[in-house]
Amino acid sequence: MSHYTLVIHGGAGTISKSNINAEQESAYCDALGKALEAGFSCLKNDGTALDAVRAAVVSLEDCILFNAGKGSVFGKDGRQEMDASIMDGKTLMAGAVAAVRNIRNPVELAYTIMTKSQHVMLNGSGAYEFAVQQGLAIEPDDYFFSQFRYDQWKEIQGTNNAALDHNVSVRDKKFGTVGAVALDKHGNIAAATSTGGMTNKQFGRIGDSPIIGAGTYANNKTCAISCTGHGEPFIRAVTAYDVSCLMEYKEFSLSEAMHVVVHDKLLKIDGEGGMIGVDTQGNAAMVFNSEGMYRGMMNAEGKKEILIYK
Ligand code: ASP
């Protein structure tokens, strides 16, 4: 019996029942459901884990509710810069893109860098030029604009604070970075993450999401992980790879390793956020130390969950 599984997240942060109304809650659940279907149908039809995480992340990037692709947060200069990465657990190949503008689907650019270039990571104008060469979809600034994110930015514009998109104290404080991890019918795993980063960030700031080992990691020997949260501590803790190391060198289970990293190691350095993970046995986990995390999973046994709060 194959245990193919897909897990997704739409960001972690100050997400609680008291700051989401019923209409917003159902919009988020619908969007998460759509992304799950997009990725899971790939797995069901014999597709690879890589294709499944791409499909799920593209669906979330295209949804204005999440802080990735369309609807990304605004940086200090009033513009959006996005980061994304993808990793194949079978080959340990990876692709990443940092601080890019106007790329419709940064995860597709990360995938194209992995499959069509000799590099792992491209940033800024070099990444843009490569995207154009490869015929990826480019959109004008307006495409990425959303009023609620603009209002979030306005609230802290002019300060030196950079905030997790959900933590800005405006009415709508519940939008997030996106990610997916999957196990396919062939026993291979993959992970992908995409984000607009943090509101009011310095332009050129790069978070954990595009850094292989920090925000994203996949290795058939251990696990596939996608993180969300305050990027700087996640980079310093080499978060995603640490989960893999605890499994490889200390023989922790996926869930044990994720709990130690999220509730102990990250908390000790004020690392607020969470992560999703899957292993080659089809074990899946969604762990966070913040108030909530948009998340969902589906597996071959017919289990389907879409959750927001603790
Ligand atoms: N980790 C992302 C970053 O720091 C933000 C997030 O997950 O919401 O760029």
Side-chain angles (χ1 to χ4, degrees):
M1 168 77 190
S2 153
H3 297 289
Y4 59 94
T5 304
L6 175 71
V7 191
I8 62 170
H9 72 76
T14 312
I15 308 166
S16 65
K17 257 226 164 325
S18 59
N19 57 33
I20 301 185
N21 66 37
E23 200 181 315
Q24 291 166 328
E25 190 177 295
S26 90
Y28 278 100
C29 291
D30 286 353
L32 289 167
K34 219 171 130 191
L36 276 175
E37 294 296 340
F40 198 71
S41 71
C42 262
L43 296 177
K44 218 167 146 179
N45 296 322
D46 237 9
T48 63
L50 260 188
D51 286 342
V53 296
R54 280 169 65 203
V57 170
V58 163
S59 168
L60 294 164
E61 285 178 340
D62 288 347
C63 173
I64 199 163
L65 296 174
F66 300 99
N67 173 22
K70 187 185 180 89
S72 285
V73 298
F74 289 83
K76 222 173 203 161
D77 59 351
R79 296 191 65 190
Q80 291 130 319
E81 283 187 350
M82 301 167 289
D83 299 335
S85 65
I86 189 162
M87 186 162 184
D88 181 358
K90 181 183 171 192
T91 59
L92 302 186
M93 291 295 281
V97 67
V100 287
R101 294 180 164 155
N102 304 103
I103 305 297
R104 183 186 173 107
N105 292 112
V107 74
E108 290 293 64
L109 180 52
Y111 177 74
T112 310
I113 290 166
M114 173 174 110
T115 51
K116 304 249 171 76
S117 84
Q118 300 170 347
H119 309 299
V120 170
M121 186 188 262
L122 293 179
N123 83 340
S125 51
Y128 181 86
E129 191 184 284
F130 182 71
V132 171
Q133 257 173 31
Q134 295 294 324
L136 295 189
I138 307 292
E139 300 288 352
D141 287 352
D142 286 357
Y143 168 83
F144 299 90
F145 181 87
S146 60
Q147 190 62 46
F148 45 78
R149 295 244 195 270
Y150 188 74
D151 295 343
Q152 286 181 325
W153 172 58
K154 281 283 164 193
E155 197 165 307
I156 55 171
Q157 184 191 6
T159 72
N160 280 325
N161 296 336
L164 275 183
D165 52 350
H166 350 257
N167 290 358
V168 180
S169 65
V170 290
R171 285 182 317 277
D172 293 306
K173 43 184 172 183
K174 41 192 128 41
F175 314 100
T177 287
V178 307
V181 294
L183 164 68
D184 65 28
K185 285 187 183 173
H186 315 283
N188 296 313
I189 55 178
T193 311
S194 180
T195 188
M198 291 174 75
T199 299
N200 207 40
K201 66 185 179 182
Q202 169 66 35
F203 63 88
R205 178 264 186 187
I206 295 165
D208 60 313
S209 309
I211 298 181
I212 297 302
T216 305
Y217 189 70
N219 185 339
N220 272 7
K221 257 194 185 165
T222 53
C223 59
I225 298 287
S226 169
C227 299
T228 173
H230 189 171
E232 281 71 7
F234 279 67
I235 294 172
R236 291 191 279 122
V238 200
T239 304
Y241 184 59
D242 198 21
V243 174
S244 173
C245 288
L246 289 169
M247 293 176 71
E248 183 171 1
Y249 305 128
K250 285 197 130 185
E251 297 184 0
F252 282 28
S253 70
L254 173 73
S255 160
E256 278 166 0
M258 286 170 67
H259 275 88
V260 167
V261 171
V262 173
H263 292 298
D264 182 28
K265 295 188 166 199
L266 276 172
L267 274 186
K268 282 186 180 137
I269 53 168
D270 291 328
E272 183 192 354
M275 60 170 70
I276 54 172
V278 71
D279 66 16
T280 48
Q281 308 307 304
N283 295 304
M286 312 186 267
V287 180
F288 53 99
N289 61 31
S290 46
E291 273 184 54
M293 179 164 83
Y294 295 109
R295 61 201 189 277
M297 62 88 60
M298 269 175 99
N299 70 17
E301 284 80 43
K303 183 168 169 189
K304 181 177 180 182
E305 265 180 1
I306 295 176
L307 300 162
I308 300 179
Y309 318 106
K310 264 201 179 120

